[in-house]
Amino acid sequence: YMDLCHVPTTREKSWYLALMAPNIKGPNYAWLDPSRLYCHPQGLQDCLTDLLQPFQGDHIDMVAGIDAMGFILGAAAAAMLRKGFLAIRKAGHLCVQTLTQPYTDYSGREKVMEVRTDAISPGLRILLVDQWIETGGTMRAAIQLVEQLGGVVAGVAAICIEDSEGGRWIQEHYKCTHCIPPQLQSRFDRHQ
């Protein structure tokens, strides 16, 4: 049971990370479940404020979220920014014309992602949002879809961007934001 009303008297930066639940089901699951954070009104609010702060004053036309958990943060970010929201889907769900992109996800599985072709016009500036960037494979596929349609990646936002080869590549090439304080980063990289 989670106390949804409790807010710490002094809200340290990233205090809401403690709301995330550890994996109790074993190695076939992610090591941490961030979705518990979304249930907490102030936690969700503060997480979004931190994620969007670096983009204050930046030109963003639309927010795109990645299937599936990126839909939650992405739609909430779009509402906060008063922008439209574009869902980047796992292939096979959209009944309109799409562009597809194969990729390998964090678990090493080959997958395909798709986006509708009528939502991105050349030069449209898009903030890409996902819950977590582990190997970077999923986010890179989303970046490729946006750029193939002529869109511009205005930024990449996730609760955590792990210090993996793919995570570093994304941070070197795009404006990125995440919620993990520098002193905790190595613990998240080691899944502790």
Side-chain angles (χ1 to χ4, degrees), residues 5 21 50 61 63 66 70 73 78 83 87 94 99 102 115 124 131-132 149 158 164-165 170 182:
C5 305
D50 287 351
D61 296 308
V63 177
I66 300 175
L73 267 186
K83 300 297 176 188
L94 292 168
L99 181 66
V115 69
L124 199 76
Q131 176 169 273
W132 210 267
L149 290 169
S164 59
E165 194 184 333
I170 291 164

Side-chain angles (χ1 to χ4, degrees), residues 132-143:
W132 210 267
I133 297 175
E134 208 163 313
T135 60
T138 306
M139 184 56 78
R140 274 188 90 158
I143 289 169

Side-chain angles (χ1 to χ4, degrees), residues 28-176:
N28 295 339
Y29 293 83
W31 70 284
L32 197 62
D33 175 32
S35 68
R36 190 167 176 261
L37 186 167
Y38 308 148
C39 302
H40 193 291
Q42 191 65 57
L44 178 60
Q45 211 63 42
D46 288 358
C47 174
L48 283 162
T49 300
D50 287 351
L51 273 181
L52 296 175
Q53 200 279 321
F55 299 104
Q56 293 288 317
D58 287 14
H59 180 131
I60 293 169
D61 296 308
M62 184 186 278
V63 177
I66 300 175
D67 206 339
M69 297 307 282
F71 291 169
I72 298 166
L73 267 186
M80 243 176 141
L81 293 170
R82 300 185 183 280
K83 300 297 176 188
F85 174 76
L86 173 65
I88 297 182
R89 306 290 315 259
K90 292 182 183 102
H93 295 290
L94 292 168
C95 63
V96 293
Q97 193 180 351
T98 59
L99 181 66
T100 58
Q101 179 66 48
Y103 69 103
T104 306
D105 76 359
Y106 64 93
S107 67
R109 284 188 295 244
E110 293 290 327
K111 292 185 176 174
V112 179
M113 197 174 281
E114 68 180 353
V115 69
R116 58 186 313 137
T117 54
D118 60 2
I120 300 176
S121 51
L124 199 76
R125 296 182 56 81
I126 295 175
L127 174 62
L128 279 166
V129 180
D130 204 357
Q131 176 169 273
W132 210 267
I133 297 175
E134 208 163 313
T135 60
T138 306
M139 184 56 78
R140 274 188 90 158
I143 289 169
Q144 286 167 306
L145 286 170
V146 167
E147 292 180 345
Q148 283 171 51
L149 290 169
V152 176
V153 176
V156 171
I159 291 176
C160 176
I161 303 175
E162 291 187 21
D163 185 28
S164 59
E165 194 184 333
R168 282 192 299 274
W169 185 90
I170 291 164
Q171 288 181 298
E172 281 159 20
H173 292 84
Y174 298 91
K175 181 170 180 174
C176 292

